[in-house]
Amino acid sequence: MRKIEVSPSILAADFSKLGVEVKKIEDVANYVHIDVMDGHFVPNLTFGYIVARAVKSVTDLPLDSHLMVENPESLVDEFCEISEIVTVHYETTYHLHRLIQRIKEKEVKAFVALNPHTSVELLEDIIMDVDGVLVMSVNPGFGGQKFIPNVLNKIRKLNDIKKETGLTFKIEVDGGINEETFESVVNAGADILVAGSYIFGSDDPVEAVKILKGQSRNISEG
Ligand code: DX5
Ligand code: ZN
């Protein structure tokens, strides 16, 4: 049975008490998802290394850092110091292969993210080098948006590539994941679910994580 992991996004948490918020999900989540936005690649500005490091200091959960920034080369070294996964967007770099190698040299898992319009086929010559693909199921920049159903095809294509090639990269899905959308995402082949507003907007964040993981256990492999 495929094990589904959950990565709660603190973008939807109360920024005035991030430590308290992260502690809420510490016993049930697999990662803390860190959404770094620069106000250029995406139309929103969040936080950088200093705040992410402060989050790291209050939790034993590994950080899953999602860099939505122009020039990710300027940030990856710092984020590699504090993260288990560092994700860079396909759309943000001319030298993806070099950047992926730089992350992996630091023994950090290197993921590549795809905006909703970016085709899986573009990964043909890099897929064997990445530890994971983050499929954006909303346009990056904001929490609380509606899931884009067309991305299910991309998840299925990635799952087919894994089956055909034997590669073991993880498929992570980010945006609009909630109790109505997660099953189709898991059935299409997702391994890691990112959820912000569904988890931190809930009265019971622990139960919300368990729903994404627990119900997933009853779903057969895609
Ligand atoms: C969007 C971010 C997501 C966001 C998801 O740009 O990458 O991680 O926090 O938020 P929800 O789960 O509310 O769609
Ligand atoms: Zn994200």
Side-chain angles (χ1 to χ4, degrees):
M1 198 185 314
R2 204 168 82 248
K3 183 171 160 277
I4 302 301
E5 296 187 313
V6 174
S7 188
S9 166
I10 56 166
L11 184 63
D14 182 340
F15 277 21
S16 70
K17 46 177 184 174
L18 281 178
V20 175
E21 294 279 84
V22 168
K23 285 287 170 201
K24 286 182 187 169
I25 46 84
E26 189 161 53
D27 292 341
V28 285
N30 300 93
Y31 306 93
V32 181
H33 187 81
I34 301 287
D35 283 310
V36 182
M37 303 183 183
D38 66 351
H40 295 280
F41 174 59
V42 291
N44 200 2
L45 185 63
T46 54
F47 47 74
Y49 169 72
I50 292 171
V51 171
R53 189 182 57 186
V55 171
K56 169 79 182 162
S57 74
V58 296
T59 183
D60 291 330
L61 285 173
L63 298 196
D64 162 27
S65 297
H66 178 192
L67 305 183
M68 287 163 277
V69 299
E70 288 182 356
N71 192 20
E73 288 80 0
S74 67
L75 290 187
V76 290
D77 291 345
E78 283 184 328
F79 274 90
C80 281
E81 284 172 20
I82 56 170
S83 308
E84 181 162 310
I85 298 171
V86 169
T87 299
V88 294
H89 267 261
Y90 179 90
E91 303 84 5
T92 58
T93 179
Y94 291 123
H95 298 290
L96 184 59
H97 183 272
R98 181 186 289 154
L99 191 53
I100 293 292
Q101 299 309 322
R102 186 162 149 192
I103 296 167
K104 286 168 60 170
E105 275 164 16
K106 296 180 186 292
E107 296 184 357
V108 172
K109 289 179 185 144
F111 281 33
V112 60
L114 301 178
N115 274 347
H117 75 276
T118 305
S119 300
V120 163
E121 282 76 9
L122 292 168
L123 298 181
E124 184 178 357
D125 294 310
I126 192 73
I127 195 74
M128 63 295 287
D129 291 309
V130 300
D131 295 299
V133 178
L134 187 155
V135 177
M136 286 306 303
S137 40
V138 297
N139 285 293
F142 302 95
Q145 301 180 80
K146 200 166 175 294
F147 181 80
I148 300 170
N150 279 354
V151 302
L152 290 172
N153 283 329
K154 294 167 75 170
I155 302 168
R156 287 190 202 104
K157 279 186 195 171
L158 286 164
N159 202 29
D160 287 346
I161 292 170
K162 286 173 76 169
K163 285 180 185 161
E164 285 159 15
T165 61
L167 291 169
T168 57
F169 62 86
K170 299 286 183 192
I171 303 174
E172 181 171 15
V173 183
D174 185 2
I177 301 293
N178 55 39
E179 62 193 4
E180 278 153 27
T181 56
F182 85 96
E183 274 188 327
S184 59
V185 169
V186 169
N187 282 333
D191 302 294
I192 306 172
L193 305 178
V194 179
S197 41
Y198 177 63
I199 293 172
F200 288 107
S202 162
D203 291 338
D204 190 346
V206 169
E207 183 59 19
V209 174
K210 283 184 180 168
I211 286 171
L212 297 183
K213 290 173 90 174
Q215 289 184 355
S216 304
R217 276 190 221 114
N218 298 323
I219 294 168
S220 61
E221 287 186 36

